[in-house]
Amino acid sequence: MNKYNYKFSFGPWNIHEGADPFGPPVRPSVAFAEKLVILKDLGFDAMQFHDDDAVPDLDTKSAREIRQQAEAMKARLDDLGLTAEFVAPRLWEHPMTIDGAFTANDPAARAYAIERAKKAADIARYLDTNLMVLWLAREGTYLREAKDAVRATQQLLEAVDALLDYDPDLRIAIEPKPNEPMDLAYIPTIGHALALGMQASDPARVGGLIESAHAVLAGLDPADEMSFALAFGKLWSVHLNDQNGLKFDQDRSFGSVDLRRVFNQVRVLDENKFWEIGMVGLDVKALRTQPPELATKHLSNSLRTFLRLVEIVRSVDNQKIEELRAARDYEELDWLIMSSLMGA
Ligand code: GLO
Ligand code: MG
């Protein structure tokens, strides 16, 4: 635990073999058990799970096997003094989810997706977390005429309601993203996610997870997206990272592209006591060029950057900010922030 009481997490996908759409892996796979040890050694507190990280080959297993394996994983977490932050159903790799999951045109595919997500809810319970993250990877289209977007939106709501009904303790954090893998995603921003949540059967149990890069890809400022959710008590987790413009989802180390932009994310989180609300998740990937034995620095550097920025945020003279706001001297305010970031 750091002196600011923030808790940090990442997911197993953040230690990555480096494959991209144009080239194969460049680093050997690291076993999940080893990733847990790395997570612990790097000073993180919790692991983020896809359902099949806890129970591999989930689709072929009985309810009893799922329970046994998830409980064994929980015991392993306990041994290491770690927790599970959330479980996310992996609804984008199975052949049944090629055309989407909850919004697939094929009713059998939609039924598969709901059943799979219910299994993820069971696994979350066995891992002792009530948080499910829904990253709606393939809920969208490559071409607009392929699906009925009104019906698809209703299907997303029906899926959320089915899960809330299935497990009365479950909380669902929707992770919006405007594109990739789809061209046009149905839940591109936190505004969409929370509007959907407000229509749900139990709106108090639906919130959001905001990823910095996803907000940037939507042409929005991540700190303002976070503020929007915080204003309604709906920011339940974050995936901090960075993103160099409107390109593929880069998952760059936190702060490595735009230090001012990440400063403002830390500022809004810290001002709203986020350490009392949720964990700081770092959804970052090592550059493909990074040699295997050096391919965890993106995680430790991102964590360090976050904590350094907490210090800077707290060192800024808030009284001075109020004066400059009152005087409408935003040029001087700009300099105050710039000089804080430059260490002057
Ligand atoms: C991809 C998403 C992905 C999710 C993860 C948790 O763009 O950021 O990494 O965060 O699968 O559901
Ligand atoms: Mg993410």
Side-chain angles (χ1 to χ4, degrees):
M1 179 73 76
N2 52 84
K3 66 180 175 179
Y4 301 115
N5 291 334
Y6 278 103
K7 286 205 169 116
F8 291 91
S9 61
F10 65 78
W13 62 91
N14 298 118
I15 298 175
H16 184 252
E17 295 84 354
D20 69 16
F22 304 99
V26 290
R27 292 183 287 262
S29 293
V30 176
F32 188 84
E34 176 61 17
K35 290 180 182 180
L36 284 179
V37 174
I38 294 171
L39 179 123
K40 176 83 184 167
D41 289 349
L42 293 176
F44 285 72
D45 305 278
M47 184 55 107
Q48 304 172 354
F49 284 83
H50 292 134
D51 47 11
D52 56 3
D53 295 322
V55 183
D57 302 319
L58 179 56
D59 291 305
T60 64
K61 295 200 169 143
S62 69
R64 198 159 152 267
E65 287 170 318
I66 290 173
R67 181 174 193 142
Q68 277 171 350
Q69 289 200 11
E71 286 179 348
M73 179 62 76
K74 171 71 171 73
R76 182 70 190 126
L77 292 174
D78 289 348
D79 285 348
L80 288 165
L82 297 170
T83 59
E85 184 194 358
F86 64 70
V87 175
R90 197 196 295 275
L91 294 171
W92 52 91
E93 286 185 0
H94 192 276
M96 288 299 275
T97 60
I98 287 174
D99 191 29
F102 304 133
T103 68
N105 283 328
D106 176 0
R110 294 200 299 276
Y112 163 83
I114 303 250
E115 284 315 303
R116 170 81 183 228
K118 286 180 180 171
K119 289 179 190 170
D122 293 341
I123 292 170
R125 197 169 343 103
Y126 304 142
L127 295 182
D128 199 26
T129 174
N130 66 357
L131 188 61
M132 170 181 283
V133 166
L134 285 185
W135 172 49
L136 300 165
R138 297 196 189 277
E139 314 297 8
T141 52
Y142 301 117
L143 82 164
R144 176 46 62 234
E145 300 82 5
K147 290 183 188 173
D148 175 340
V150 172
R151 185 69 197 113
T153 305
Q154 292 163 345
Q155 284 163 341
L156 289 173
L157 183 58
E158 286 160 16
V160 165
D161 282 347
L163 293 168
L164 292 174
D165 184 54
Y166 177 71
D167 180 345
D169 287 329
L170 189 71
R171 295 182 306 138
I172 297 176
I174 299 175
E175 178 180 351
K177 183 176 182 184
N179 59 278
E180 205 194 70
M182 306 316 293
D183 181 21
L184 301 155
Y186 290 134
I187 305 292
T189 72
I190 197 64
H192 292 78
L194 297 189
L196 189 122
M198 290 309 290
Q199 302 295 321
S201 57
D202 188 358
R205 290 194 284 134
V206 187
L209 177 156
I210 294 179
E211 173 161 333
S212 324
H214 298 181
V216 174
L217 287 170
L220 299 170
D221 179 69
D224 277 356
E225 286 282 273
M226 289 172 191
S227 303
F228 184 84
L230 283 164
F232 305 125
K234 290 295 192 184
L235 187 64
W236 295 350
S237 187
V238 288
H239 272 175
L240 301 184
N241 56 20
D242 216 344
Q243 171 73 25
N244 196 12
L246 301 181
K247 302 175 186 171
F248 61 96
D249 184 11
Q250 297 182 313
D251 296 336
R252 294 286 304 276
S253 290
F254 188 54
S256 70
V257 176
D258 187 334
L259 196 56
R260 177 102 175 236
R261 192 169 61 196
V262 302
F263 163 81
N264 279 302
Q265 292 165 61
V266 177
R267 185 159 185 269
V268 74
L269 292 173
D270 203 56
E271 284 181 342
N272 289 280
K273 298 191 169 62
F274 190 71
W275 67 89
E276 291 178 358
I277 301 174
M279 292 195 194
V280 177
L282 295 168
D283 198 352
V284 291
K285 284 214 174 75
L287 299 173
R288 190 168 190 265
T289 40
Q290 201 67 0
E293 65 282 9
L294 304 174
T296 57
K297 292 190 174 181
H298 57 302
L299 292 159
S300 45
N301 288 347
S302 295
L303 190 157
R304 287 199 300 189
T305 300
F306 182 92
L307 291 175
R308 283 281 291 279
L309 286 170
V310 171
E311 274 169 28
I312 294 174
V313 162
R314 293 188 185 183
S315 73
V316 174
D317 183 348
N318 282 320
Q319 180 61 39
K320 186 79 188 159
I321 292 182
E322 286 308 323
E323 287 167 22
L324 294 172
R325 284 177 176 174
R328 229 173 56 209
D329 190 355
Y330 298 151
E331 295 291 357
E332 191 62 29
L333 177 55
D334 196 21
W335 177 248
L336 180 72
I337 302 301
M338 291 291 284
S339 51
S340 303
L341 285 173
M342 291 188 292

